[in-house]
Coordinates of all heavy atoms in Angstrom, one line a residue:
M4 N -20.4 -3.0 -16.6 CA -19.4 -2.1 -15.9 C -18.0 -2.3 -16.6 O -17.6 -3.4 -16.7 CB -19.5 -2.5 -14.4 CG -18.4 -1.7 -13.6 SD -18.7 -1.6 -11.8 CE -18.7 -3.3 -11.3
G5 N -17.4 -1.2 -16.8 CA -16.0 -1.3 -17.4 C -15.0 -1.5 -16.3 O -15.3 -1.6 -15.1
K6 N -13.7 -1.5 -16.7 CA -12.7 -1.8 -15.8 C -12.5 -0.5 -14.9 O -12.5 0.6 -15.5 CB -11.4 -2.1 -16.5 CG -11.5 -3.5 -17.1 CD -10.2 -3.9 -17.7 CE -10.3 -5.3 -18.3 NZ -9.6 -5.5 -19.5
P7 N -12.2 -0.7 -13.6 CA -11.9 0.5 -12.8 C -10.6 1.2 -13.2 O -9.7 0.5 -13.8 CB -11.9 0.0 -11.4 CG -11.6 -1.5 -11.6 CD -12.2 -1.9 -12.9
R8 N -10.5 2.4 -12.9 CA -9.3 3.2 -13.4 C -8.0 2.6 -12.8 O -7.0 2.6 -13.5 CB -9.5 4.6 -12.9 CG -8.4 5.5 -13.5 CD -8.5 7.0 -13.0 NE -9.9 7.5 -13.4 CZ -10.3 8.7 -13.2 NH1 -9.5 9.6 -12.6 NH2 -11.4 9.1 -13.6
W9 N -8.0 2.2 -11.6 CA -6.7 1.6 -11.0 C -6.2 0.4 -11.7 O -5.0 0.1 -11.7 CB -6.9 1.3 -9.5 CG -8.1 0.4 -9.2 CD1 -9.4 0.8 -8.8 CD2 -8.2 -1.0 -9.3 NE1 -10.1 -0.3 -8.6 CE2 -9.5 -1.4 -8.9 CE3 -7.3 -1.9 -9.7 CZ2 -9.9 -2.7 -9.0 CZ3 -7.7 -3.3 -9.8 CH2 -8.9 -3.7 -9.4
Y10 N -7.1 -0.2 -12.5 CA -6.7 -1.4 -13.2 C -5.6 -1.2 -14.2 O -4.8 -2.0 -14.5 CB -7.9 -2.1 -13.8 CG -7.5 -3.4 -14.4 CD1 -7.2 -4.6 -13.6 CD2 -7.3 -3.7 -15.8 CE1 -6.8 -5.8 -14.1 CE2 -6.9 -4.9 -16.3 CZ -6.7 -6.0 -15.5 OH -6.3 -7.1 -16.0
N11 N -5.5 0.1 -14.6 CA -4.4 0.4 -15.6 C -3.0 0.2 -15.0 O -2.1 0.2 -15.8 CB -4.6 1.8 -16.1 CG -5.8 2.0 -17.0 OD1 -6.3 1.0 -17.6 ND2 -6.4 3.2 -16.9
E12 N -2.9 0.2 -13.7 CA -1.6 0.0 -13.0 C -1.4 -1.4 -12.5 O -0.5 -1.7 -11.8 CB -1.5 1.0 -11.8 CG -1.5 2.4 -12.4 CD -1.5 3.4 -11.2 OE1 -0.6 3.3 -10.3 OE2 -2.3 4.3 -11.2
A13 N -2.4 -2.2 -12.8 CA -2.4 -3.6 -12.2 C -1.2 -4.5 -12.7 O -0.8 -4.4 -13.9 CB -3.7 -4.4 -12.5
A14 N -0.6 -5.2 -11.8 CA 0.5 -6.1 -12.2 C 0.0 -7.2 -13.1 O 0.8 -7.8 -13.8 CB 1.2 -6.6 -10.9
C15 N -1.3 -7.5 -13.0 CA -1.7 -8.7 -13.8 C -2.2 -8.3 -15.2 O -2.7 -9.1 -15.9 CB -2.8 -9.3 -13.1 SG -4.2 -8.3 -12.6
I16 N -2.0 -7.1 -15.6 CA -2.4 -6.7 -17.0 C -1.6 -7.6 -18.0 O -0.4 -7.8 -17.8 CB -2.1 -5.2 -17.3 CG1 -3.1 -4.4 -16.6 CG2 -2.1 -5.0 -18.8 CD1 -2.9 -2.9 -16.8
G17 N -2.3 -8.2 -18.8 CA -1.7 -9.1 -19.8 C -1.5 -10.5 -19.4 O -1.1 -11.4 -20.2
A18 N -1.8 -10.8 -18.1 CA -1.6 -12.2 -17.6 C -2.8 -13.0 -18.0 O -3.9 -12.4 -18.4 CB -1.5 -12.2 -16.1
D19 N -2.7 -14.3 -17.9 CA -3.8 -15.1 -18.2 C -4.8 -15.1 -17.0 O -4.5 -15.8 -16.0 CB -3.3 -16.6 -18.4 CG -4.4 -17.6 -18.7 OD1 -5.6 -17.2 -18.8 OD2 -4.1 -18.8 -18.8
L20 N -5.9 -14.4 -17.1 CA -6.7 -14.2 -16.0 C -7.5 -15.5 -15.6 O -8.1 -15.5 -14.5 CB -7.7 -13.1 -16.3 CG -7.1 -11.7 -16.4 CD1 -8.1 -10.6 -16.6 CD2 -6.2 -11.3 -15.2
E21 N -7.5 -16.5 -16.5 CA -8.0 -17.8 -16.2 C -7.5 -18.3 -14.8 O -8.1 -18.9 -14.0 CB -7.8 -18.7 -17.3 CG -8.4 -20.1 -17.0 CD -9.9 -20.1 -17.0 OE1 -10.5 -19.3 -17.7 OE2 -10.4 -21.0 -16.3
E22 N -6.1 -18.1 -14.7 CA -5.5 -18.5 -13.5 C -6.0 -17.8 -12.2 O -5.8 -18.3 -11.1 CB -3.9 -18.3 -13.6 CG -3.3 -19.1 -14.7 CD -1.8 -18.8 -14.8 OE1 -1.1 -18.9 -13.8 OE2 -1.4 -18.4 -15.9
F23 N -6.5 -16.6 -12.4 CA -7.0 -15.8 -11.2 C -8.3 -16.2 -10.9 O -8.8 -15.9 -9.8 CB -7.0 -14.3 -11.6 CG -5.6 -13.7 -11.7 CD1 -4.8 -13.9 -12.8 CD2 -5.1 -12.9 -10.7 CE1 -3.5 -13.4 -12.9 CE2 -3.8 -12.4 -10.7 CZ -3.0 -12.6 -11.8
F24 N -9.1 -16.9 -11.7 CA -10.5 -17.2 -11.4 C -10.7 -18.6 -11.3 O -11.8 -19.1 -10.9 CB -11.4 -16.6 -12.5 CG -11.5 -15.1 -12.4 CD1 -10.7 -14.2 -13.1 CD2 -12.4 -14.5 -11.4 CE1 -10.8 -12.9 -12.9 CE2 -12.5 -13.2 -11.2 CZ -11.7 -12.4 -12.0
S25 N -9.7 -19.5 -11.5 CA -10.0 -21.0 -11.5 C -9.6 -21.5 -10.1 O -8.8 -22.4 -10.0 CB -9.2 -21.7 -12.6 OG -7.9 -21.4 -12.5
I26 N -10.0 -20.8 -9.0 CA -9.7 -21.2 -7.7 C -11.0 -21.2 -6.9 O -12.0 -20.7 -7.3 CB -8.7 -20.2 -7.0 CG1 -9.4 -18.9 -6.7 CG2 -7.5 -20.1 -7.8 CD1 -8.6 -18.0 -5.8
S27 N -10.9 -21.8 -5.7 CA -12.1 -21.8 -4.8 C -11.6 -21.9 -3.4 O -10.5 -22.4 -3.1 CB -13.0 -22.9 -5.2 OG -12.4 -24.2 -5.0
G28 N -12.4 -21.4 -2.5 CA -12.2 -21.7 -1.0 C -10.8 -21.1 -0.6 O -10.5 -20.0 -0.8
E29 N -10.1 -22.0 0.1 CA -8.8 -21.6 0.7 C -7.6 -21.7 -0.2 O -6.5 -21.4 0.1 CB -8.6 -22.5 1.9 CG -9.6 -22.3 3.0 CD -9.4 -21.0 3.8 OE1 -8.4 -20.3 3.6 OE2 -10.2 -20.7 4.7
Q30 N -7.9 -22.3 -1.4 CA -6.7 -22.5 -2.3 C -6.0 -21.2 -2.7 O -6.7 -20.3 -3.1 CB -7.3 -23.2 -3.6 CG -6.3 -23.6 -4.6 CD -7.0 -24.0 -5.9 OE1 -8.2 -23.9 -6.1 NE2 -6.2 -24.6 -6.8
R31 N -4.7 -21.2 -2.5 CA -3.9 -20.0 -2.8 C -3.1 -20.3 -4.1 O -2.1 -20.9 -4.0 CB -3.0 -19.6 -1.7 CG -3.7 -19.0 -0.5 CD -2.8 -18.5 0.6 NE -1.9 -17.4 0.1 CZ -2.3 -16.1 0.0 NH1 -3.5 -15.8 0.3 NH2 -1.5 -15.2 -0.4
P32 N -3.5 -19.8 -5.2 CA -2.8 -20.0 -6.5 C -1.5 -19.3 -6.5 O -1.3 -18.2 -5.9 CB -3.8 -19.6 -7.6 CG -4.5 -18.5 -6.9 CD -4.7 -18.9 -5.4
A33 N -0.5 -19.7 -7.3 CA 0.8 -19.1 -7.5 C 0.7 -17.7 -7.9 O 1.6 -16.9 -7.7 CB 1.6 -19.9 -8.4
V34 N -0.4 -17.3 -8.6 CA -0.5 -15.9 -9.2 C -0.4 -14.9 -8.1 O 0.0 -13.8 -8.3 CB -1.7 -15.7 -10.1 CG1 -1.6 -16.5 -11.3 CG2 -3.0 -16.1 -9.3
I35 N -0.9 -15.3 -6.9 CA -0.8 -14.3 -5.8 C 0.6 -13.9 -5.5 O 0.9 -12.7 -5.3 CB -1.5 -14.9 -4.5 CG1 -3.0 -15.0 -4.8 CG2 -1.2 -14.1 -3.3 CD1 -3.8 -15.6 -3.6
D36 N 1.5 -14.9 -5.5 CA 2.9 -14.6 -5.2 C 3.6 -13.9 -6.5 O 4.4 -13.1 -6.3 CB 3.7 -15.8 -4.8 CG 3.2 -16.4 -3.5 OD1 2.8 -15.5 -2.6 OD2 3.2 -17.5 -3.3
V37 N 3.2 -14.4 -7.6 CA 3.8 -13.9 -8.8 C 3.4 -12.5 -9.2 O 4.2 -11.7 -9.5 CB 3.6 -14.9 -10.0 CG1 4.1 -14.3 -11.3 CG2 4.1 -16.3 -9.7
Y38 N 2.1 -12.2 -9.0 CA 1.6 -10.9 -9.5 C 1.1 -10.0 -8.3 O 1.6 -8.9 -8.2 CB 0.4 -11.1 -10.4 CG 0.7 -11.7 -11.7 CD1 0.6 -13.1 -11.9 CD2 1.2 -11.0 -12.8 CE1 0.9 -13.7 -13.1 CE2 1.6 -11.6 -14.0 CZ 1.4 -12.9 -14.2 OH 1.7 -13.5 -15.4
C39 N 0.2 -10.5 -7.5 CA -0.3 -9.6 -6.5 C 0.7 -9.1 -5.5 O 0.6 -8.0 -5.0 CB -1.5 -10.4 -5.8 SG -2.7 -11.0 -6.9
A40 N 1.7 -10.0 -5.1 CA 2.6 -9.5 -4.1 C 3.4 -8.3 -4.5 O 3.8 -7.5 -3.6 CB 3.6 -10.7 -3.8
Q41 N 3.5 -8.0 -5.7 CA 4.2 -6.8 -6.2 C 3.3 -5.8 -6.8 O 3.7 -4.8 -7.5 CB 5.3 -7.2 -7.2 CG 4.7 -8.1 -8.3 CD 5.6 -8.1 -9.5 OE1 6.4 -7.3 -9.7 NE2 5.4 -9.2 -10.3
C42 N 2.0 -6.0 -6.8 CA 1.1 -5.1 -7.4 C 0.9 -3.8 -6.7 O 0.6 -3.8 -5.5 CB -0.3 -5.8 -7.6 SG -1.5 -4.9 -8.5
P43 N 1.0 -2.6 -7.4 CA 0.9 -1.3 -6.8 C -0.5 -1.0 -6.4 O -0.8 0.0 -5.7 CB 1.5 -0.4 -7.8 CG 1.3 -1.0 -9.1 CD 1.4 -2.5 -8.8
V44 N -1.5 -1.7 -6.9 CA -2.9 -1.3 -6.6 C -3.6 -2.4 -5.9 O -4.8 -2.6 -5.9 CB -3.7 -0.9 -8.0 CG1 -3.1 0.4 -8.5 CG2 -3.6 -2.1 -9.0
R45 N -2.9 -3.2 -5.2 CA -3.4 -4.3 -4.4 C -4.6 -3.9 -3.5 O -5.6 -4.5 -3.4 CB -2.3 -5.0 -3.6 CG -2.7 -6.3 -3.0 CD -1.5 -7.0 -2.5 NE -1.9 -8.3 -1.8 CZ -1.1 -9.2 -1.5 NH1 0.2 -9.1 -1.6 NH2 -1.5 -10.3 -0.9
P46 N -4.4 -2.8 -2.7 CA -5.5 -2.3 -1.8 C -6.7 -2.0 -2.5 O -7.8 -2.2 -2.2 CB -4.8 -1.1 -1.1 CG -3.4 -1.3 -1.2 CD -3.1 -1.9 -2.5
E47 N -6.5 -1.3 -3.7 CA -7.7 -0.8 -4.4 C -8.4 -2.0 -5.0 O -9.7 -2.1 -5.1 CB -7.3 0.1 -5.6 CG -6.8 1.4 -5.2 CD -5.2 1.5 -4.8 OE1 -4.7 0.4 -4.6 OE2 -4.7 2.6 -4.6
C48 N -7.7 -3.0 -5.4 CA -8.2 -4.3 -6.0 C -9.0 -5.0 -4.9 O -10.2 -5.4 -5.2 CB -7.1 -5.1 -6.5 SG -7.6 -6.7 -7.3
L49 N -8.5 -5.1 -3.8 CA -9.2 -5.8 -2.7 C -10.5 -5.0 -2.3 O -11.5 -5.6 -2.2 CB -8.3 -5.9 -1.4 CG -9.0 -6.5 -0.2 CD1 -9.6 -7.8 -0.5 CD2 -8.0 -6.6 1.0
Q50 N -10.4 -3.7 -2.2 CA -11.5 -2.9 -1.8 C -12.7 -3.0 -2.9 O -13.8 -3.1 -2.5 CB -11.1 -1.4 -1.6 CG -12.2 -0.6 -1.0 CD -12.6 -1.1 0.4 OE1 -11.8 -1.2 1.3 NE2 -13.9 -1.3 0.6
F51 N -12.2 -3.0 -4.1 CA -13.2 -3.2 -5.2 C -14.0 -4.5 -5.1 O -15.2 -4.5 -5.2 CB -12.5 -3.1 -6.6 CG -13.4 -3.3 -7.7 CD1 -14.1 -2.2 -8.2 CD2 -13.5 -4.5 -8.4 CE1 -14.9 -2.3 -9.3 CE2 -14.4 -4.7 -9.5 CZ -15.1 -3.5 -9.9
A52 N -13.3 -5.6 -4.8 CA -13.9 -6.9 -4.7 C -14.8 -6.9 -3.5 O -15.9 -7.5 -3.6 CB -12.9 -7.9 -4.5
L53 N -14.5 -6.2 -2.4 CA -15.3 -6.2 -1.2 C -16.5 -5.3 -1.4 O -17.7 -5.7 -1.1 CB -14.5 -5.7 0.0 CG -13.4 -6.5 0.5 CD1 -12.6 -5.8 1.6 CD2 -13.9 -7.9 1.1
D54 N -16.3 -4.2 -2.1 CA -17.5 -3.3 -2.4 C -18.5 -3.9 -3.4 O -19.7 -3.7 -3.3 CB -17.0 -2.0 -3.0 CG -16.2 -1.1 -2.0 OD1 -16.3 -1.4 -0.8 OD2 -15.5 -0.2 -2.4
T55 N -18.0 -4.7 -4.3 CA -18.8 -5.3 -5.4 C -19.3 -6.6 -5.0 O -19.9 -7.3 -5.9 CB -18.1 -5.2 -6.7 OG1 -16.9 -5.9 -6.6 CG2 -17.9 -3.8 -7.2
H56 N -18.9 -7.2 -3.8 CA -19.3 -8.5 -3.4 C -18.9 -9.6 -4.4 O -19.6 -10.4 -4.8 CB -20.8 -8.6 -3.1 CG -21.3 -7.6 -2.2 ND1 -21.2 -7.8 -0.8 CD2 -21.8 -6.4 -2.4 CE1 -21.6 -6.7 -0.2 NE2 -22.0 -5.8 -1.1
N57 N -17.6 -9.4 -4.8 CA -17.1 -10.4 -5.8 C -16.6 -11.7 -5.1 O -15.6 -11.6 -4.3 CB -15.9 -9.7 -6.6 CG -15.8 -10.4 -7.9 OD1 -15.8 -11.6 -8.0 ND2 -15.7 -9.6 -9.0
Y58 N -17.3 -12.7 -5.3 CA -16.9 -13.9 -4.5 C -16.1 -14.9 -5.3 O -15.8 -16.0 -4.7 CB -18.3 -14.7 -4.2 CG -19.2 -13.7 -3.3 CD1 -20.4 -13.2 -3.8 CD2 -18.8 -13.4 -2.0 CE1 -21.2 -12.4 -3.1 CE2 -19.6 -12.6 -1.3 CZ -20.8 -12.1 -1.8 OH -21.6 -11.3 -1.1
H59 N -15.6 -14.6 -6.4 CA -14.8 -15.5 -7.2 C -13.5 -15.0 -7.5 O -13.3 -13.8 -7.7 CB -15.6 -15.8 -8.5 CG -16.9 -16.3 -8.3 ND1 -17.1 -17.6 -7.9 CD2 -18.1 -15.8 -8.5 CE1 -18.4 -17.8 -7.8 NE2 -19.1 -16.8 -8.1
G60 N -12.5 -15.8 -7.5 CA -11.2 -15.5 -8.0 C -10.3 -14.7 -7.0 O -10.6 -14.6 -5.8
V61 N -9.1 -14.3 -7.5 CA -8.1 -13.6 -6.7 C -8.4 -12.2 -6.9 O -8.4 -11.6 -8.0 CB -6.7 -14.0 -7.2 CG1 -5.7 -13.1 -6.5 CG2 -6.4 -15.5 -6.9
W62 N -8.5 -11.4 -5.8 CA -8.6 -10.0 -5.8 C -7.8 -9.5 -4.7 O -7.9 -9.9 -3.5 CB -10.1 -9.5 -5.6 CG -11.0 -9.8 -6.8 CD1 -11.6 -11.0 -6.9 CD2 -11.3 -9.0 -7.8 NE1 -12.4 -10.9 -8.1 CE2 -12.2 -9.7 -8.7 CE3 -10.9 -7.7 -8.2 CZ2 -12.7 -9.2 -9.9 CZ3 -11.5 -7.1 -9.4 CH2 -12.4 -7.9 -10.2
G63 N -6.9 -8.5 -5.0 CA -6.1 -7.9 -3.9 C -5.2 -9.0 -3.3 O -4.8 -8.8 -2.1
G64 N -4.9 -10.0 -4.0 CA -4.0 -11.1 -3.4 C -4.7 -11.9 -2.4 O -4.0 -12.5 -1.6
T65 N -6.1 -11.9 -2.4 CA -6.8 -12.8 -1.4 C -7.6 -13.8 -2.1 O -8.0 -13.7 -3.3 CB -7.7 -11.9 -0.6 OG1 -8.7 -11.3 -1.5 CG2 -7.0 -10.8 0.1
T66 N -7.8 -14.9 -1.4 CA -8.7 -15.9 -1.9 C -10.2 -15.6 -1.5 O -10.4 -14.7 -0.7 CB -8.4 -17.3 -1.2 OG1 -8.7 -17.2 0.2 CG2 -6.9 -17.6 -1.4
P67 N -11.1 -16.2 -2.2 CA -12.5 -16.0 -1.8 C -12.8 -16.2 -0.3 O -13.5 -15.4 0.4 CB -13.3 -17.1 -2.6 CG -12.4 -17.3 -3.8 CD -11.0 -17.2 -3.3
A68 N -12.1 -17.3 0.3 CA -12.4 -17.5 1.7 C -11.8 -16.4 2.6 O -12.4 -15.9 3.6 CB -11.7 -18.8 2.1
E69 N -10.6 -15.9 2.2 CA -10.0 -14.7 2.9 C -10.9 -13.4 2.8 O -11.1 -12.7 3.8 CB -8.6 -14.4 2.4 CG -7.6 -15.5 2.8 CD -6.3 -15.4 2.0 OE1 -6.3 -14.8 0.9 OE2 -5.3 -15.9 2.6
R70 N -11.5 -13.2 1.6 CA -12.4 -12.1 1.6 C -13.6 -12.2 2.4 O -14.1 -11.3 2.9 CB -12.7 -11.8 0.1 CG -11.5 -11.2 -0.7 CD -11.9 -10.7 -2.0 NE -12.6 -11.6 -2.9 CZ -12.1 -12.5 -3.6 NH1 -10.8 -12.8 -3.5 NH2 -12.8 -13.3 -4.3
K71 N -14.1 -13.4 2.4 CA -15.3 -13.6 3.3 C -15.0 -13.3 4.7 O -15.8 -12.7 5.4 CB -15.8 -15.1 3.1 CG -17.1 -15.3 4.0 CD -17.6 -16.7 3.8 CE -18.8 -17.0 4.6 NZ -19.0 -16.3 5.9
R72 N -13.8 -13.7 5.2 CA -13.5 -13.5 6.5 C -13.4 -12.0 6.8 O -13.7 -11.4 7.8 CB -12.2 -14.2 6.9 CG -12.4 -15.6 7.2 CD -11.2 -16.3 7.9 NE -10.0 -16.4 7.1 CZ -9.8 -17.4 6.3 NH1 -10.6 -18.4 6.1 NH2 -8.7 -17.3 5.5
E73 N -12.7 -11.3 5.8 CA -12.5 -9.8 5.9 C -13.8 -9.1 5.9 O -14.1 -8.2 6.7 CB -11.6 -9.3 4.7 CG -11.3 -7.9 4.7 CD -10.6 -7.4 6.0 OE1 -10.1 -8.2 6.7 OE2 -10.7 -6.1 6.1
R74 N -14.8 -9.6 5.0 CA -16.1 -8.9 5.1 C -16.8 -9.1 6.4 O -17.4 -8.2 6.9 CB -17.0 -9.5 3.9 CG -16.9 -8.9 2.6 CD -18.0 -9.3 1.7 NE -17.9 -10.7 1.4 CZ -17.1 -11.3 0.5 NH1 -16.4 -10.5 -0.3 NH2 -17.1 -12.6 0.2
D75 N -16.7 -10.3 6.9 CA -17.3 -10.6 8.2 C -16.7 -9.8 9.4 O -17.4 -9.2 10.2 CB -17.2 -12.1 8.6 CG -18.1 -13.0 7.7 OD1 -18.9 -12.5 6.9 OD2 -17.8 -14.2 7.7
R76 N -15.4 -9.6 9.3 CA -14.6 -8.8 10.3 C -15.1 -7.4 10.2 O -15.4 -6.7 11.2 CB -13.1 -8.9 10.0 CG -12.3 -8.4 11.1 CD -10.8 -8.3 10.7 NE -10.6 -7.4 9.6 CZ -10.5 -6.1 9.8 NH1 -10.7 -5.5 10.9 NH2 -10.2 -5.3 8.7
R77 N -15.2 -6.8 9.0 CA -15.6 -5.5 8.8 C -17.1 -5.2 9.3 O -17.4 -4.2 9.9 CB -15.5 -5.0 7.4 CG -14.0 -4.8 7.0 CD -13.8 -4.4 5.6 NE -12.4 -4.3 5.2 CZ -12.0 -3.7 4.1 NH1 -12.9 -3.1 3.3 NH2 -10.7 -3.8 3.8
R78 N -17.9 -6.2 9.0 CA -19.3 -6.2 9.4 C -19.4 -6.1 11.0 O -20.1 -5.3 11.5 CB -20.1 -7.3 8.8 CG -21.5 -7.0 8.3 CD -22.1 -8.1 7.7 NE -21.7 -8.4 6.3 CZ -21.4 -9.6 5.9 NH1 -21.5 -10.7 6.6 NH2 -21.0 -9.7 4.6
R79 N -18.6 -7.0 11.6 CA -18.7 -7.0 13.0 C -18.1 -5.6 13.6 O -18.7 -5.1 14.5 CB -17.7 -8.1 13.6 CG -18.4 -9.5 13.5 CD -17.7 -10.5 14.4 NE -16.3 -10.6 13.9 CZ -15.8 -11.4 13.0 NH1 -16.6 -12.2 12.3 NH2 -14.5 -11.5 12.7
G80 N -17.1 -5.1 12.9 CA -16.6 -3.8 13.4 C -17.5 -2.7 13.2 O -17.7 -1.8 14.1
A81 N -18.3 -2.7 12.1 CA -19.3 -1.7 11.8 C -20.4 -1.7 12.9 O -21.0 -0.7 13.3 CB -19.9 -1.8 10.5
R82 N -20.8 -3.0 13.3 CA -21.8 -3.1 14.2 C -21.4 -2.7 15.7 O -22.2 -2.1 16.4 CB -22.3 -4.6 14.3 CG -23.5 -4.9 13.5 CD -24.1 -6.3 13.8 NE -23.8 -7.1 12.7 CZ -23.2 -8.3 12.7 NH1 -22.9 -8.8 13.8 NH2 -23.0 -8.9 11.6
A83 N -20.1 -2.9 16.0 CA -19.6 -2.5 17.3 C -19.4 -1.0 17.4 O -19.4 -0.5 18.5 CB -18.2 -3.2 17.6
A84 N -19.3 -0.3 16.3 CA -19.1 1.2 16.3 C -20.3 2.0 16.7 O -21.4 1.5 16.7 CB -18.5 1.6 15.0
Ligands
SF4_122 S1 -3.9 -7.3 -6.6 FE1 -3.6 -9.1 -8.0 S2 -5.6 -9.4 -9.0 FE2 -5.6 -7.4 -8.1 S3 -4.9 -6.0 -9.7 FE3 -3.1 -6.6 -8.6 S4 -2.2 -8.4 -9.6 FE4 -4.3 -8.1 -10.3

């Protein structure tokens, strides 16, 4: 799978992506504040990670643990609807 179209506008283009993927659980790396906080495609990035069940790294300025909670929240919302 290639890079999604929105990635062309990502604030992290050219950054050392190792920093985005060398995290786990609740750990919030500095790249979230440095890059994601000002990223114009943050919502698209988060949605992509949720849609593709991406469990590693920083996506949309979230940690893996935050995305798991968001997935669970959405699942509960879908069941209640
Ligand atoms: S939200 Fe963060 S990880 Fe996602 S594209 Fe933007 S800078 Fe990169």
Side-chain angles (χ1 to χ4, degrees):
M4 179 161 54
K6 289 183 177 144
R8 188 180 302 185
W9 52 261
Y10 186 71
N11 292 330
E12 298 174 48
C15 58
I16 286 180
D19 178 4
L20 293 182
E21 179 68 28
E22 295 178 54
F23 288 78
F24 287 97
S25 57
I26 68 164
S27 62
E29 298 283 356
Q30 183 186 9
R31 285 185 65 80
V34 293
I35 288 178
D36 294 327
V37 174
Y38 294 98
C39 305
Q41 53 160 337
C42 182
V44 292
R45 189 171 179 170
E47 291 85 348
C48 181
L49 174 57
Q50 190 60 53
F51 179 81
L53 294 172
D54 290 345
T55 57
H56 305 279
N57 205 313
Y58 300 111
H59 303 286
V61 171
W62 292 85
T65 62
T66 65
E69 289 169 333
R70 288 196 303 284
K71 180 181 183 324
R72 283 195 292 274
E73 179 62 16
R74 268 192 301 275
D75 292 347
R76 191 188 66 77
R77 290 183 184 193
R78 222 176 280 135
R79 281 193 305 274
R82 260 189 255 130

